[in-house]
Amino acid sequence: MMTLYVDAARNVHTGQSAVGAVLIVNKHQQQLKSDLPQSADNHEAEFMGLIWGIKQLPMIDNLQIYTDSKIVADAIQKKYAKHYQSYVDRIISLLSEFPLVLISWIPEKQNHGAHQLAMQALKKTKR
C-alpha cells in the first residue's frame, strides 16, 4: 500500500498556490513539492494539490491518502462537492486506476511534513 500525505498552501494576497506531498512506498519516503496555478480560494488549491499529488504516483498499488482538508476528504468519499464538482470528477477519474483507494482527513498537526513542503514551494514562487 502506498501512502500519500498532501497539503496545499495559498497566498491570499497574490492568489498563488503551492502543494507539498509526502509519498511512502515500501517504507521509502519521497518528498515532493510544486507550485500550482493561481486559485480562487484555499479549497480550490487543496483540490488542485491532490490532483497534482495523484499524478506523481506510480499506479502499481493500493493507495491511502491523508489530507487535512475536510472538504476534500468528504467530497472524494461522497463523490460530490457543490462548488468543486469538476475537481472531484477529475480526482475520481485519476483514482479509478488504483485497485483500492482510501482517503482520510487528519488534523493539520499530523500533516506537518506535507504542509512544510507546500510552504517551501509557496515561498519559492515569490522570488
Side-chain angles (χ1 to χ4, degrees):
M1 166 117 16
M2 293 185 295
T3 303
L4 178 67
Y5 291 85
V6 65
D7 192 25
R10 181 175 178 272
N11 182 317
V12 294
H13 301 293
T14 65
Q16 184 59 46
S17 300
V19 59
V22 176
L23 173 62
I24 302 168
V25 181
N26 297 325
K27 299 182 184 178
H28 295 283
Q29 179 177 307
Q30 186 176 4
Q31 297 179 347
L32 309 165
K33 60 187 172 184
S34 179
D35 59 332
L36 292 170
Q38 287 192 344
S39 60
D41 59 35
N42 190 60
H43 297 310
E44 185 179 39
E46 294 284 355
F47 281 104
M48 289 190 301
L50 179 55
I51 290 168
W52 178 87
I54 294 167
K55 288 180 175 182
Q56 307 313 303
L57 302 175
M59 294 183 196
I60 56 168
D61 206 349
N62 297 326
L63 176 61
Q64 171 70 61
I65 299 169
Y66 291 104
T67 177
D68 59 20
S69 171
K70 193 137 183 69
I71 190 170
V72 169
D74 289 347
I76 302 310
Q77 290 169 350
K78 295 175 184 177
K79 298 182 174 140
Y80 175 77
K82 184 175 183 179
H83 301 290
Y84 305 98
Q85 191 61 44
S86 63
Y87 293 110
V88 172
D89 292 343
R90 180 74 179 126
I91 292 166
I92 297 300
S93 174
L94 290 168
L95 293 176
S96 69
E97 301 295 319
F98 295 90
L100 173 68
V101 177
L102 305 170
I103 186 164
S104 300
W105 173 83
I106 56 173
E108 229 175 85
K109 64 183 176 187
Q110 292 179 16
N111 203 21
H112 186 69
H115 177 75
Q116 286 301 110
L117 291 164
M119 294 304 291
Q120 289 172 12
L122 188 61
K123 206 178 244 186
K124 187 176 180 182
T125 62
K126 288 183 181 180
R127 295 179 183 168

